[in-house]
Each structure stands twice: as structure tokens, then as C-alpha cells.
Amino acid sequence: MITLQGLTKRYGSQTAVDNLSLTIGAGKVTGFLGPNGAGKSTTMRMIMGLDHPTAGQALIGGRSYAELAYPLREIGALLDAKAVHPGRSARAHLRSLARSNGISVRRVDEVLETVGLTKVADRRAGSFSLGMGQRLGIAGALLGNPGVVMFDEPVNGLDPDGVRWIRGLIRGLAAEGRTIFVSSHLMSEMQLTADHLVIIGKGQLITETSVQQLIESSSLNAVRVRGPEQAGLQKLMDQLHEWAVPARWESHNELYITGLTVDRVSDLAFEMGVRLHEVRSIEASLEQAYMELTADSVEFGAASGHQRQPGAGA
Ligand SMILES: Nc1ncnc2c1ncn2[C@@H]1O[C@H](COP(=O)(O)OP(=O)(O)OP(=O)(O)O)[C@@H](O)[C@H]1O
Ligand SMILES: [Mg+2]
């Protein structure tokens, strides 16, 4: 379990992390989301004792990083994949980490196997590709068999096979009861990997929610209705407008209706004698729900053009 209590970090006049208080629980994957510059990496660095909080504290199982006798046995993290001496082999790097944390060197070969680096274990880490470097960083994080694992954008630079591998690894670690805290900008990946989400913007907590709850809260969830008779659809549309239910034409034979269930829409069409060929629920993606929620917190967005949002109400 990770606990943040009023965690704050200021760099000069800028507040990178602003009074964050939350608990990241065990046995699930908590995704850490937020626009560029939101303060995710800074928060993670403070949890790892690499940055000193201006105020508040970050605790791992109730103790700060500095209080842990053998930190790698409590918390493993992949923060900056390039934080390895380039002249050292992967094996030598992991061995020195193991020795400094009272971990058996036999564990080195196990984690090399876990991350698929056994064959290149004696090559200089400096010659590793981005993806191999990520794998080595993950091996280091897992070395002490820690109960808390933290990854900052672990899928950056990984090929599709690597992305799938990390997804499985992360899910597996959570299933073993560990606390997993992972940042990412890849919403499609987070939708598949995370159970719970912590979303920050400009250093502050925007929301803490389950992935499912966030998706359900999106205004882009809709019921898609398709029918062969435009006049019938128009009748349905008029009724919805009368009731102030948001609905719009998607094409000449399709409507998108927001705020009613598939059952309700089907019954309504039946009662009104409107012939339909399809009534289907369209669920917003995590990306859409996230974009709606964080629209006001993006600091470094491009000058925005009009974005069409499928399923948006009238
Ligand atoms: N060492 C530092 N000195 C000064 N400012 C810093 C330092 N580290 C981070 N910041 C600032 O703190 C803010 C938060 O940065 P941080 O790297 O934590 O964001 P992030 O959420 O990880 O962003 P990204 O998604 O781009 O990785 C930024 O405005 C950044 O410029
Ligand atoms: Mg970052």
C-alpha cells in the first residue's frame, strides 16, 4: 500500500505536486493518469525518495522510503529506464543491486528470465535498445520480490509483443496481491490493464475512480438506433426532443441517443410503432471519458481544432 498525505512539491514558484492525499491499495492495478507536466513522475520520484517533498509525505506500507532497511524488498520501480551504467552488463548491474539490498544473487537469473533478457545478460547495458532497457529496468524493480511495484510509462518504446508482455506481467503482479502503480498516456492500454485510476492535472487530484465508473460517467455513452423508415425515426426523434433527451442523427437511418438504456429505447420504439433493425449500446472508450474529464487541465495542448466526438448528444 502506498499512502500520500498532503504530498506537495514546489520548484521555485511552480507547484509540480499540490497537496495530494490518497491511498493506492494492494491487489489491483492503479493507473496514474494526467496530461504532460501534471506531476506524475515527480510524485513517483518522491515516493521513491529521489525527490524531497516541500510538504506532506509519501509512505510505503506506513513508512517513508528513507526508513526502509532494504528498500528493494519493499518497493520496486521503473522510473527512468536509462538509469543504468552503460558500461556494465545487465547481469553485473542486477548483481550489484542485489548485493546492496541483501538479496540472493540467484534471484538475478530469475528476474533476467522473467523479463526475457537471459540471452543478452552479459552484454553492455549501453548497447541495449529502448525496449531492452525497459526490460532491464523492470528486472531491477522485481529483484527484491517487492510488495509494491511502480512503473512510470513502462510501455514507452516497446513493440506490440513487449506491450502485451508488460500487460500480462502487471496483471499477474496485481493478482499476487501486490500494490501496482503505473503511469501511462496510452489510454487503450490502461483500459486493458488498470482496475483503478488516479487522475491528476496541474499537480492536483482531479479524481480517483474505477476504470468502469469513469467510462460510465462519460456523456459519450449512447444507444445507437438504426431503422429502415426515416419517418419513423423522425417520430422517435421528435418525442425524445419533447422529453429533452439528447439525441442526434448519425446518418439518414441512424440515431444516437444519450441517457436512456437499450431496453428503454427498444420499448419506446415498440410503443410508438417505429420499426428498427438495430438497437445497440455504444460505450465510450476510456480515452474519450478521460479527455472529457481533463479538458481543462491540459497545459501544453496544441491549438485545438474541432474534434468530432462520436456518440455525442445533440
Ligand atoms: N527538477 C525539476 N526542476 C524544475 N521543475 C521540474 C523538475 N521536475 C519536474 N518539474 C516540473 O514539474 C512539473 C511536473 O513534471 P512531471 O515530470 O512530474 O510531470 P509528468 O506528469 O510526469 O509529465 P509527463 O506526462 O510529461 O511525463 C512540470 O511542470 C515540470 O516542468
Ligand atoms: Mg512523467
Side-chain angles (χ1 to χ4, degrees):
M1 183 168 94
I2 302 172
T3 316
L4 310 183
Q5 297 172 340
L7 191 69
T8 301
K9 181 70 189 180
R10 283 188 211 101
Y11 294 107
S13 63
Q14 186 177 12
T15 306
V17 176
D18 193 356
N19 197 23
L20 273 190
S21 293
L22 51 104
T23 299
I24 299 138
K28 62 186 172 195
V29 178
T30 301
F32 196 19
L33 312 183
N36 288 132
K40 304 179 296 295
S41 299
T42 305
T43 299
M44 288 180 155
R45 280 201 309 274
M46 287 193 283
I47 295 170
M48 286 303 281
L50 296 169
D51 240 338
H52 195 71
T54 311
Q57 56 181 353
L59 305 175
I60 301 136
R63 284 175 300 164
S64 73
Y65 191 90
E67 291 171 313
L68 305 174
Y70 294 106
L72 281 191
R73 296 197 204 167
E74 311 283 339
I75 182 166
L78 168 73
L79 298 189
D80 179 359
K82 285 166 220 76
V84 174
H85 190 291
R88 264 194 190 161
S89 74
R91 181 174 276 124
H93 165 69
L94 293 172
R95 280 193 174 162
S96 86
L97 275 183
R99 265 184 234 112
S100 63
N101 272 267
I103 297 163
S104 153
V105 287
R106 262 177 299 136
R107 179 72 186 146
V108 169
D109 288 326
E110 280 175 31
V111 292
L112 282 167
E113 192 68 39
T114 304
V115 303
L117 289 180
T118 303
K119 278 195 202 136
V120 294
D122 294 312
R123 264 174 58 181
R124 290 172 50 245
S127 72
F128 278 10
S129 70
L130 182 59
M132 289 159 79
Q134 292 285 80
R135 285 171 188 259
L136 178 55
I138 290 169
L142 299 181
L143 196 58
N145 202 16
V148 179
V149 177
M150 207 162 57
F151 293 146
D152 195 3
E153 301 188 36
V155 299
N156 262 8
L158 290 189
D159 59 23
D161 184 60
V163 171
R164 253 173 84 156
W165 168 73
I166 291 223
R167 190 190 307 150
L169 176 80
I170 288 175
R171 298 285 340 153
L173 291 168
E176 289 166 358
R178 296 175 214 258
T179 302
I180 315 293
F181 195 37
V182 190
S183 79
S184 179
H185 290 295
L186 296 177
M187 294 301 136
S188 53
E189 195 46 41
M190 273 289 155
Q191 192 167 356
L192 294 173
T193 310
D195 306 296
H196 203 74
L197 297 172
V198 168
I199 305 179
I200 64 171
K202 298 175 182 166
Q204 295 177 342
L205 186 68
I206 295 178
T207 190
E208 201 192 331
T209 175
S210 73
V211 172
Q212 200 47 43
Q213 263 173 356
L214 180 62
I215 290 173
E216 280 167 13
S217 74
S218 169
S219 71
L220 300 183
N221 294 304
V223 174
R224 175 178 184 262
V225 163
R226 185 170 57 83
E229 291 154 6
Q230 210 174 356
L233 291 178
Q234 186 61 57
K235 213 164 77 175
L236 194 59
M237 190 71 156
D238 292 344
Q239 179 63 79
L240 293 168
H241 272 168
E242 206 179 303
W243 290 340
V245 172
R248 65 177 175 81
W249 290 94
E250 174 68 7
S251 71
H252 68 283
N253 65 348
E254 275 176 292
L255 302 180
Y256 272 60
I257 303 164
T258 313
L260 295 183
T261 62
V262 166
D263 291 4
R264 184 73 192 95
V265 171
S266 306
D267 286 349
L268 178 63
F270 177 76
E271 285 158 16
M272 295 178 65
V274 176
R275 205 167 143 216
L276 298 182
H277 282 173
E278 185 180 7
V279 185
R280 184 157 64 92
S281 168
I282 305 283
E283 195 177 60
S285 64
L286 176 62
E287 180 174 82
Q288 288 170 325
Y290 168 83
M291 296 300 280
E292 274 183 272
L293 194 69
T294 57
D296 297 337
S297 304
V298 178
E299 269 187 284
F300 308 109
S304 73
H306 177 70
Q307 279 195 343
R308 191 174 161 277
Q309 301 183 318

